[in-house]
Amino acid sequence: MQSNYRITQGNWNEAMQVISQLPEFERDYSIEVLAQRVANKAYSLLIAWYGERPVAFKLGYALDDDRFYSWLEGVIPAYRELGIGTDLLVQQEAWALNQGYSVLEVKSRNCFPKMLRLLLKQGYFISHVEPQGQVEQHIIYFSKSFSRLLQSS
């Protein structure tokens, strides 16, 4: 499989097509749950397309005027290892920076080592860890400051 994908702004139905094919998603996400979480907030919903098929998504929303939270992301298993997740993250960062946010925040769990490595590789710092019983379920909080990046360039 070659890397012929594109990323666009998306809609809830497209995101649900991806979510329904993600084995890691334990919660029952619905359009209503997604829309309620971002209600009355600035948000970004990106969809990655392989041909005419949505194969990945990334959803984030404003926490306040300065901070943007990267909430959910997923790539259908057959389309992983193509760089789609990294490209979604980079495009979301660019969008957030363009909108005037100075910090991007995200959290993940120890049981998702590829996501943890991606965040560290992209310049995120661990801000704290929240124990959750078994160590693989610990929640790891990350942040990336755009103002720090802008000052160093």
Side-chain angles (χ1 to χ4, degrees), residues 42-144:
Y43 72 92
S44 171
L45 173 57
L46 299 173
I47 303 291
W49 298 84
Y50 195 89
E52 297 304 311
R53 179 180 182 183
V55 298
F57 84 105
K58 188 152 189 67
L59 175 61
Y61 57 88
L63 293 172
D64 56 38
D65 290 342
D66 296 319
R67 299 176 307 135
F68 189 82
Y69 178 58
S70 183
W71 180 34
L72 292 175
E73 175 179 322
V75 179
I76 294 172
Y79 297 89
R80 293 178 183 169
E81 306 302 326
L82 299 176
I84 296 172
T86 300
D87 287 347
L88 284 167
L89 180 60
V90 168
Q91 284 200 27
Q92 185 182 67
E93 288 176 354
W95 181 89
L97 182 59
N98 189 47
Q99 299 299 309
Y101 298 100
S102 60
V103 176
L104 201 93
E105 297 181 0
V106 64
K107 64 183 175 182
S108 190
R109 292 184 184 267
N110 264 342
C111 60
F112 301 123
K114 288 183 180 182
M115 179 58 105
L116 303 178
R117 286 191 296 271
L118 169 64
L119 292 168
L120 291 170
K121 183 178 176 184
Q122 292 302 118
Y124 286 76
F125 290 101
I126 296 172
S127 56
H128 67 283
V129 176
E130 183 179 309
Q132 296 290 311
Q134 296 180 324
V135 69
E136 61 269 7
Q137 293 303 317
H138 287 9
I139 299 172
I140 303 168
Y141 293 78
F142 293 85
S143 68
K144 183 174 186 175

